Amino acid sequence: MTNGVSEIQTSRRQVATLERAKKLKILVVDDEPDNLDLLYRTFRRDFQVLKADSGINALEILATEGEVAVIISDQRMPEMKGTEFLSKTVPQFPDTVRIILTGFTDIEDLVEAINAGQVYKYITKPWDPSELKAVVQRAAETYDLLKQRTEELRRANAQMSLLTVLVHVTQAAKSLEETLTPIATAFADSFSADACILQMLEGKTLSATQGFYSSEATLKNWLNQDPLTTEAIATGQIQVTVNAAKDPNLASVTYYQEHSIQAHVVIPITYRNNMLGVLSLQWQQPVSLREDELNLIHLSAQLLAIALTSSRCS
């Protein structure tokens, strides 16, 4: 590949559009219907708001919905106090930011919860809507920053692990064919893909030499029927769809629907203007790939090209 930035311009615009539409999820918990409705109406424009009328119901919602960015919980509720409920969410969702609403002077409970890292801030009732909105916005920014740093660390570790695998496989393998499946597996692990195909080229034609990984028992190689792969080979540029079901260019490709492929990235593997093969990363859920993630995929493909060239020459 020549210029990683220019090659992903279209993909970046598609990804940016997707990310702007995405709202963080928050959970509001209060046993008083009027308060619960008020909290919902306060935040529904800026967040995807889930609501529960008790700590027990809130735990059930979290079990179904998964992690949320912020939890806002009343303190005084029957069956389970807000601080007790929030403490139960910490082990499974340590990154979630927790806010408690209290109309009483439960200082001992609140201090204990804050010191234990279970509560980010407490707000006294009746609350000021503008103050609460400001606090929740800061909490959401804190969550975003924490997730960003965690993800940056994960990507750095994944890249290092991938580089280690590439070096090890190319040094240990006796033939090019032996390297392909372990490399495909390493790429799938690094980018949390459900399937990965690494297929070599003869000229501009896909060859029989390939390696693959699949989270399912079997994987059919369908790249010779895939418009993204055809375009990647023709242009030498990364091709991306982050939501195949809404991509009109893929409407006629039945494989996407039959095998629940929701997102697909095809990367040409090029070394010194010589295209060696293509790498296909496939996900069964729509994904949100940021520009830095696409750049990481691009850089990893360059490392792969060097590794494959080394394997061919050995």
Side-chain angles (χ1 to χ4, degrees):
M1 295 181 186
T2 54
N3 188 330
V5 175
S6 64
E7 289 181 359
I8 63 175
Q9 291 299 315
T10 301
S11 299
R12 179 170 60 185
R13 287 192 295 269
Q14 184 180 16
V15 169
T17 299
L18 179 67
E19 289 195 328
R20 280 196 297 270
K22 182 180 178 183
K23 290 183 178 182
L24 289 176
K25 287 194 293 187
I26 69 172
L27 173 62
V28 295
V29 187
D30 199 309
D31 63 306
E32 297 182 25
D34 289 344
N35 285 343
L36 194 59
D37 185 57
L38 177 57
L39 289 168
Y40 175 82
R41 287 187 284 109
T42 299
F43 297 108
R44 65 190 175 96
R45 290 184 181 275
D46 300 319
F47 300 96
Q48 179 184 344
V49 184
L50 309 174
K51 56 183 182 177
D53 59 6
S54 71
I56 293 174
N57 289 340
L59 291 172
E60 292 175 353
I61 289 174
L62 289 172
T64 302
E65 294 286 340
E67 184 174 276
V68 298
V70 181
I71 299 175
I72 308 167
S73 176
D74 186 29
Q75 167 65 356
R76 286 284 182 152
M77 295 186 293
E79 297 180 351
M80 186 184 297
K81 289 182 180 181
T83 48
E84 182 185 355
F85 153 64
L86 292 176
S87 70
K88 292 180 182 295
T89 69
V90 173
Q92 189 173 0
F93 307 112
D95 294 340
T96 294
V97 181
R98 299 161 183 84
I99 297 170
I100 200 83
L101 303 174
T102 178
F104 299 85
T105 55
D106 297 318
I107 300 301
E108 186 175 338
D109 285 346
L110 292 175
V111 169
E112 182 181 348
I114 292 170
N115 288 341
Q118 297 165 358
V119 173
Y120 167 77
K121 192 172 181 64
Y122 74 89
I123 301 291
T124 55
K125 297 166 67 176
W127 64 82
D128 178 88
S130 59
E131 178 189 355
L132 182 58
K133 288 183 73 171
V135 169
V136 172
Q137 188 59 49
R138 288 196 298 271
E141 291 169 359
T142 298
Y143 173 84
D144 260 343
L145 181 60
L146 179 59
K147 299 305 284 188
Q148 179 183 336
R149 290 178 175 174
T150 301
E151 185 61 20
E152 287 172 354
L153 179 60
R154 185 198 68 79
R155 287 197 301 272
N157 289 336
Q159 185 179 354
M160 185 59 67
S161 298
L162 181 58
L163 178 60
T164 301
V165 169
L166 291 176
V167 171
H168 174 76
V169 168
T170 52
Q171 288 181 344
K174 297 179 181 179
S175 66
L176 172 66
E177 288 76 6
E178 285 186 11
T179 68
L180 300 184
T181 291
I183 289 174
T185 302
F187 266 87
D189 287 344
S190 294
F191 297 103
S192 303
D194 296 299
C196 179
I197 299 174
L198 174 56
Q199 189 164 6
M200 306 305 291
L201 292 172
E202 293 178 358
K204 291 282 190 175
T205 305
L206 291 167
S207 74
T209 305
Q210 60 187 281
F212 63 88
Y213 164 84
S214 175
S215 59
E216 300 179 348
T218 58
L219 175 66
K220 177 183 176 183
N221 189 332
W222 55 290
L223 297 186
N224 61 351
Q225 306 168 28
D226 177 45
L228 293 184
T229 302
T230 300
E231 186 70 12
I233 295 172
T235 64
Q237 297 181 1
I238 294 175
Q239 301 298 313
V240 179
T241 181
V242 294
N243 194 335
K246 296 183 178 180
D247 191 331
N249 296 322
L250 303 176
S252 62
V253 186
T254 58
Y255 192 91
Y256 282 91
Q257 290 77 38
E258 292 173 355
H259 296 269
S260 301
I261 302 301
Q262 295 295 315
H264 191 195
V265 177
V266 183
I267 312 102
I269 308 303
T270 304
Y271 183 72
R272 293 182 177 176
N273 296 321
N274 179 28
M275 196 178 301
L276 308 175
V278 292
L279 182 74
S280 162
L281 291 166
Q282 305 165 27
W283 294 265
Q284 292 183 338
Q285 296 292 332
V287 297
S288 177
L289 294 170
R290 297 188 301 272
E291 180 185 354
D292 58 342
E293 291 175 310
L294 289 172
N295 281 323
L296 176 56
I297 291 175
H298 174 264
L299 176 59
S300 300
Q302 291 180 317
L303 297 174
L304 173 56
I306 296 171
L308 291 177
T309 301
S310 173
S311 178
R312 279 182 162 181
C313 294
S314 61

